[in-house]
Short mmCIF file of all heavy atoms in Angstrom, two decimals:
data_model
loop_
_atom_site.label_atom_id
_atom_site.label_comp_id
_atom_site.label_asym_id
_atom_site.label_seq_id
_atom_site.Cartn_x
_atom_site.Cartn_y
_atom_site.Cartn_z
N ARG H 1 -58.89 -98.36 7.65
CA ARG H 1 -57.53 -98.95 7.37
C ARG H 1 -57.55 -99.93 6.21
O ARG H 1 -58.69 -100.47 5.97
CB ARG H 1 -56.97 -99.57 8.66
CG ARG H 1 -57.68 -100.88 9.04
CD ARG H 1 -56.78 -101.57 10.11
NE ARG H 1 -57.47 -102.74 10.61
CZ ARG H 1 -57.61 -103.90 10.01
NH1 ARG H 1 -57.10 -104.04 8.77
NH2 ARG H 1 -58.19 -104.89 10.61
N GLN H 2 -56.47 -100.04 5.62
CA GLN H 2 -56.39 -101.04 4.53
C GLN H 2 -56.45 -102.50 5.10
O GLN H 2 -56.08 -102.68 6.21
CB GLN H 2 -55.01 -100.90 3.81
CG GLN H 2 -54.93 -99.55 3.08
CD GLN H 2 -55.91 -99.39 1.93
OE1 GLN H 2 -56.08 -100.37 1.18
NE2 GLN H 2 -56.64 -98.30 1.89
N PRO H 3 -56.88 -103.46 4.25
CA PRO H 3 -56.89 -104.82 4.72
C PRO H 3 -55.49 -105.26 5.07
O PRO H 3 -54.50 -104.74 4.45
CB PRO H 3 -57.43 -105.60 3.51
CG PRO H 3 -58.16 -104.63 2.68
CD PRO H 3 -57.45 -103.28 3.01
N LEU H 4 -55.33 -106.18 5.98
CA LEU H 4 -53.95 -106.61 6.31
C LEU H 4 -53.76 -108.07 6.19
O LEU H 4 -54.72 -108.78 6.29
CB LEU H 4 -53.61 -106.12 7.71
CG LEU H 4 -54.29 -106.68 8.91
CD1 LEU H 4 -53.33 -107.75 9.50
CD2 LEU H 4 -54.46 -105.62 9.94
N ASP H 5 -52.57 -108.42 5.94
CA ASP H 5 -52.14 -109.83 5.91
C ASP H 5 -51.24 -110.03 7.23
O ASP H 5 -50.24 -109.31 7.40
CB ASP H 5 -51.33 -110.18 4.69
CG ASP H 5 -52.12 -110.22 3.41
OD1 ASP H 5 -53.40 -110.26 3.48
OD2 ASP H 5 -51.53 -110.25 2.29
N LEU H 6 -51.72 -110.95 8.00
CA LEU H 6 -51.04 -111.14 9.31
C LEU H 6 -50.53 -112.65 9.33
O LEU H 6 -51.31 -113.51 9.07
CB LEU H 6 -52.00 -110.93 10.50
CG LEU H 6 -51.46 -111.07 11.94
CD1 LEU H 6 -50.34 -110.02 12.21
CD2 LEU H 6 -52.59 -110.97 12.81
N VAL H 7 -49.34 -112.81 9.66
CA VAL H 7 -48.71 -114.15 9.84
C VAL H 7 -48.36 -114.34 11.30
O VAL H 7 -47.49 -113.63 11.84
CB VAL H 7 -47.48 -114.34 8.92
CG1 VAL H 7 -46.92 -115.71 9.19
CG2 VAL H 7 -47.91 -114.15 7.47
N ALA H 8 -48.96 -115.34 11.94
CA ALA H 8 -48.68 -115.59 13.32
C ALA H 8 -47.63 -116.77 13.32
O ALA H 8 -47.94 -117.83 12.74
CB ALA H 8 -49.93 -116.05 14.16
N VAL H 9 -46.47 -116.60 13.93
CA VAL H 9 -45.42 -117.57 13.93
C VAL H 9 -45.43 -118.07 15.40
O VAL H 9 -45.12 -117.42 16.30
CB VAL H 9 -44.06 -116.98 13.52
CG1 VAL H 9 -43.04 -118.12 13.56
CG2 VAL H 9 -44.16 -116.40 12.16
N ILE H 10 -45.73 -119.33 15.48
CA ILE H 10 -45.85 -120.01 16.81
C ILE H 10 -44.63 -120.95 17.14
O ILE H 10 -44.34 -121.86 16.37
CB ILE H 10 -47.08 -120.81 16.90
CG1 ILE H 10 -48.42 -120.04 16.43
CG2 ILE H 10 -47.35 -121.42 18.30
CD1 ILE H 10 -48.62 -118.78 17.19
N ASP H 11 -44.01 -120.69 18.25
CA ASP H 11 -42.90 -121.50 18.71
C ASP H 11 -43.43 -122.77 19.29
O ASP H 11 -44.22 -122.79 20.23
CB ASP H 11 -42.07 -120.75 19.73
CG ASP H 11 -40.93 -121.48 20.24
OD1 ASP H 11 -40.67 -122.66 19.87
OD2 ASP H 11 -40.12 -120.95 21.05
N THR H 12 -43.09 -123.95 18.65
CA THR H 12 -43.56 -125.21 19.20
C THR H 12 -42.43 -126.12 19.69
O THR H 12 -42.53 -127.26 19.89
CB THR H 12 -44.38 -126.00 18.07
OG1 THR H 12 -43.54 -126.09 17.00
CG2 THR H 12 -45.61 -125.29 17.75
N SER H 13 -41.28 -125.43 20.02
CA SER H 13 -40.09 -126.19 20.38
C SER H 13 -40.32 -126.62 21.85
O SER H 13 -41.33 -126.29 22.48
CB SER H 13 -38.83 -125.22 20.28
OG SER H 13 -38.97 -124.18 21.22
N GLY H 14 -39.31 -127.27 22.44
CA GLY H 14 -39.38 -127.79 23.80
C GLY H 14 -39.71 -126.74 24.83
O GLY H 14 -40.29 -126.98 25.81
N SER H 15 -39.20 -125.57 24.61
CA SER H 15 -39.37 -124.49 25.58
C SER H 15 -40.91 -124.14 25.71
O SER H 15 -41.22 -123.52 26.71
CB SER H 15 -38.63 -123.22 25.18
OG SER H 15 -39.07 -122.63 23.99
N MET H 16 -41.69 -124.56 24.81
CA MET H 16 -43.11 -124.24 24.86
C MET H 16 -43.87 -125.48 25.34
O MET H 16 -45.12 -125.47 25.26
CB MET H 16 -43.67 -123.83 23.47
CG MET H 16 -43.08 -122.49 23.03
SD MET H 16 -43.66 -121.13 24.05
CE MET H 16 -45.41 -121.07 23.63
N SER H 17 -43.30 -126.43 25.86
CA SER H 17 -43.91 -127.65 26.23
C SER H 17 -44.91 -127.46 27.51
O SER H 17 -45.70 -128.27 27.76
CB SER H 17 -42.94 -128.78 26.50
OG SER H 17 -42.11 -128.41 27.67
N ASP H 18 -44.68 -126.46 28.25
CA ASP H 18 -45.58 -126.12 29.32
C ASP H 18 -47.01 -125.86 28.87
O ASP H 18 -47.23 -124.97 27.97
CB ASP H 18 -45.05 -124.91 30.04
CG ASP H 18 -45.90 -124.46 31.24
OD1 ASP H 18 -46.92 -125.04 31.56
OD2 ASP H 18 -45.47 -123.47 31.99
N GLN H 19 -47.96 -126.58 29.30
CA GLN H 19 -49.32 -126.50 28.85
C GLN H 19 -49.90 -125.11 29.04
O GLN H 19 -50.66 -124.64 28.21
CB GLN H 19 -50.17 -127.51 29.64
CG GLN H 19 -51.53 -127.77 28.98
CD GLN H 19 -51.46 -128.42 27.63
OE1 GLN H 19 -50.47 -129.10 27.28
NE2 GLN H 19 -52.50 -128.15 26.80
N ASN H 20 -49.55 -124.39 30.14
CA ASN H 20 -50.00 -123.02 30.36
C ASN H 20 -49.60 -122.11 29.21
O ASN H 20 -50.28 -121.26 28.75
CB ASN H 20 -49.50 -122.46 31.68
CG ASN H 20 -50.21 -123.22 32.81
OD1 ASN H 20 -51.34 -123.65 32.71
ND2 ASN H 20 -49.48 -123.27 33.96
N LYS H 21 -48.35 -122.31 28.67
CA LYS H 21 -47.86 -121.40 27.61
C LYS H 21 -48.70 -121.62 26.35
O LYS H 21 -49.04 -120.71 25.68
CB LYS H 21 -46.42 -121.72 27.29
CG LYS H 21 -45.44 -121.21 28.36
CD LYS H 21 -44.07 -121.52 27.93
CE LYS H 21 -43.07 -121.12 29.00
NZ LYS H 21 -41.63 -121.44 28.67
N LEU H 22 -49.07 -122.88 26.08
CA LEU H 22 -49.80 -123.32 24.94
C LEU H 22 -51.25 -122.68 24.96
O LEU H 22 -51.84 -122.22 24.02
CB LEU H 22 -49.84 -124.72 24.60
CG LEU H 22 -48.50 -125.31 24.27
CD1 LEU H 22 -48.60 -126.95 24.11
CD2 LEU H 22 -47.94 -124.79 22.95
N VAL H 23 -51.81 -122.70 26.17
CA VAL H 23 -53.19 -122.11 26.38
C VAL H 23 -53.06 -120.66 26.14
O VAL H 23 -53.98 -120.09 25.50
CB VAL H 23 -53.66 -122.43 27.87
CG1 VAL H 23 -54.85 -121.64 28.18
CG2 VAL H 23 -53.92 -123.97 28.01
N LEU H 24 -52.10 -119.99 26.60
CA LEU H 24 -51.92 -118.48 26.33
C LEU H 24 -51.78 -118.21 24.89
O LEU H 24 -52.37 -117.27 24.34
CB LEU H 24 -50.67 -117.94 27.06
CG LEU H 24 -50.88 -117.82 28.56
CD1 LEU H 24 -49.55 -117.44 29.24
CD2 LEU H 24 -51.98 -116.91 28.99
N VAL H 25 -51.05 -119.07 24.17
CA VAL H 25 -50.91 -118.85 22.65
C VAL H 25 -52.30 -119.04 22.02
O VAL H 25 -52.75 -118.27 21.14
CB VAL H 25 -49.89 -119.86 22.15
CG1 VAL H 25 -49.92 -119.90 20.61
CG2 VAL H 25 -48.44 -119.46 22.58
N LYS H 26 -53.00 -120.14 22.39
CA LYS H 26 -54.24 -120.41 21.85
C LYS H 26 -55.25 -119.23 22.12
O LYS H 26 -55.94 -118.74 21.15
CB LYS H 26 -54.81 -121.72 22.31
CG LYS H 26 -56.21 -122.01 21.80
CD LYS H 26 -56.76 -123.26 22.35
CE LYS H 26 -58.11 -123.63 21.81
NZ LYS H 26 -59.14 -123.83 22.86
N ASP H 27 -55.28 -118.82 23.31
CA ASP H 27 -56.13 -117.64 23.66
C ASP H 27 -55.83 -116.40 22.86
O ASP H 27 -56.76 -115.64 22.46
CB ASP H 27 -56.11 -117.41 25.22
CG ASP H 27 -56.85 -118.46 26.00
OD1 ASP H 27 -57.49 -119.37 25.47
OD2 ASP H 27 -56.54 -118.49 27.27
N SER H 28 -54.48 -116.18 22.73
CA SER H 28 -54.08 -114.95 22.00
C SER H 28 -54.54 -115.01 20.59
O SER H 28 -54.93 -114.05 19.94
CB SER H 28 -52.52 -114.86 22.05
OG SER H 28 -52.18 -114.59 23.44
N LEU H 29 -54.36 -116.22 19.99
CA LEU H 29 -54.80 -116.42 18.54
C LEU H 29 -56.30 -116.18 18.39
O LEU H 29 -56.71 -115.56 17.46
CB LEU H 29 -54.36 -117.80 18.06
CG LEU H 29 -52.92 -118.01 17.63
CD1 LEU H 29 -52.65 -119.47 17.36
CD2 LEU H 29 -52.55 -117.14 16.37
N GLU H 30 -57.04 -116.70 19.33
CA GLU H 30 -58.43 -116.53 19.32
C GLU H 30 -58.85 -115.08 19.36
O GLU H 30 -59.75 -114.55 18.69
CB GLU H 30 -59.16 -117.36 20.37
CG GLU H 30 -59.21 -118.83 20.07
CD GLU H 30 -59.86 -119.64 21.15
OE1 GLU H 30 -60.31 -119.05 22.21
OE2 GLU H 30 -59.88 -120.87 21.12
N PHE H 31 -58.22 -114.29 20.26
CA PHE H 31 -58.42 -112.86 20.42
C PHE H 31 -58.09 -112.17 19.11
O PHE H 31 -58.91 -111.37 18.63
CB PHE H 31 -57.58 -112.31 21.54
CG PHE H 31 -57.73 -110.83 21.69
CD1 PHE H 31 -58.89 -110.26 22.31
CD2 PHE H 31 -56.77 -109.98 21.15
CE1 PHE H 31 -59.00 -108.89 22.44
CE2 PHE H 31 -56.88 -108.57 21.25
CZ PHE H 31 -58.01 -108.05 21.93
N MET H 32 -56.96 -112.59 18.46
CA MET H 32 -56.60 -111.84 17.23
C MET H 32 -57.60 -112.13 16.15
O MET H 32 -58.06 -111.21 15.43
CB MET H 32 -55.22 -112.37 16.75
CG MET H 32 -54.01 -111.62 17.17
SD MET H 32 -52.51 -112.12 16.36
CE MET H 32 -52.68 -113.82 15.85
N ILE H 33 -58.04 -113.30 15.98
CA ILE H 33 -59.01 -113.76 14.98
C ILE H 33 -60.35 -112.88 15.14
O ILE H 33 -60.79 -112.39 14.19
CB ILE H 33 -59.25 -115.24 15.03
CG1 ILE H 33 -58.06 -115.96 14.50
CG2 ILE H 33 -60.52 -115.61 14.16
CD1 ILE H 33 -58.05 -117.52 14.72
N HIS H 34 -60.74 -112.70 16.28
CA HIS H 34 -62.01 -112.02 16.58
C HIS H 34 -61.82 -110.42 16.26
O HIS H 34 -62.70 -109.80 16.01
CB HIS H 34 -62.58 -112.19 18.04
CG HIS H 34 -63.01 -113.55 18.19
ND1 HIS H 34 -64.09 -114.10 17.45
CD2 HIS H 34 -62.67 -114.51 19.04
CE1 HIS H 34 -64.32 -115.33 17.89
NE2 HIS H 34 -63.47 -115.64 18.78
N GLN H 35 -60.55 -109.96 16.32
CA GLN H 35 -60.27 -108.51 16.05
C GLN H 35 -60.17 -108.26 14.54
O GLN H 35 -60.32 -107.13 14.10
CB GLN H 35 -59.04 -108.05 16.76
CG GLN H 35 -59.12 -108.18 18.31
CD GLN H 35 -60.33 -107.63 18.93
OE1 GLN H 35 -60.59 -106.35 18.66
NE2 GLN H 35 -60.99 -108.35 19.77
N LEU H 36 -59.94 -109.31 13.75
CA LEU H 36 -59.63 -109.13 12.32
C LEU H 36 -60.97 -108.82 11.66
O LEU H 36 -62.00 -109.38 11.94
CB LEU H 36 -58.89 -110.29 11.78
CG LEU H 36 -57.50 -110.53 12.29
CD1 LEU H 36 -56.92 -111.82 11.81
CD2 LEU H 36 -56.59 -109.39 11.93
N LYS H 37 -60.84 -108.06 10.59
CA LYS H 37 -61.97 -107.72 9.83
C LYS H 37 -62.17 -108.72 8.60
O LYS H 37 -61.11 -109.46 8.32
CB LYS H 37 -61.80 -106.40 9.16
CG LYS H 37 -61.67 -105.34 10.21
CD LYS H 37 -61.64 -103.92 9.56
CE LYS H 37 -61.51 -102.77 10.53
NZ LYS H 37 -62.52 -102.62 11.56
N PRO H 38 -63.30 -108.90 8.00
CA PRO H 38 -63.51 -109.89 7.02
C PRO H 38 -62.53 -109.74 5.83
O PRO H 38 -62.29 -110.64 5.09
CB PRO H 38 -64.98 -109.77 6.60
CG PRO H 38 -65.62 -109.09 7.72
CD PRO H 38 -64.57 -108.28 8.42
N THR H 39 -62.06 -108.55 5.57
CA THR H 39 -61.17 -108.28 4.44
C THR H 39 -59.72 -108.64 4.83
O THR H 39 -58.79 -108.56 3.98
CB THR H 39 -61.23 -106.77 4.05
OG1 THR H 39 -60.93 -105.96 5.23
CG2 THR H 39 -62.55 -106.53 3.46
N ASP H 40 -59.39 -108.89 6.06
CA ASP H 40 -58.03 -109.25 6.50
C ASP H 40 -57.77 -110.70 6.24
O ASP H 40 -58.75 -111.48 6.00
CB ASP H 40 -57.88 -109.03 8.09
CG ASP H 40 -58.00 -107.53 8.34
OD1 ASP H 40 -57.69 -106.69 7.55
OD2 ASP H 40 -58.37 -107.25 9.57
N ARG H 41 -56.52 -111.06 6.17
CA ARG H 41 -56.17 -112.51 5.97
C ARG H 41 -55.13 -112.86 7.09
O ARG H 41 -54.34 -112.10 7.57
CB ARG H 41 -55.43 -112.68 4.67
CG ARG H 41 -56.46 -112.43 3.50
CD ARG H 41 -55.91 -112.82 2.13
NE ARG H 41 -54.66 -112.25 1.88
CZ ARG H 41 -53.89 -112.55 0.82
NH1 ARG H 41 -54.29 -113.46 -0.04
NH2 ARG H 41 -52.69 -111.99 0.63
N LEU H 42 -55.21 -114.14 7.49
CA LEU H 42 -54.38 -114.65 8.53
C LEU H 42 -53.71 -115.89 8.08
O LEU H 42 -54.37 -116.81 7.44
CB LEU H 42 -55.19 -115.00 9.83
CG LEU H 42 -54.43 -115.64 10.94
CD1 LEU H 42 -53.38 -114.72 11.63
CD2 LEU H 42 -55.36 -116.12 12.02
#
């Protein structure tokens, strides 16, 4: 596949104030980062 540019847009509004939601977002970002190839950009 061609290299990709990925933009993660994270909602930090009051609706995300629940600590569990932020942990899920962080875990998801870490998973994404580990799946990306060195030629990809985030």
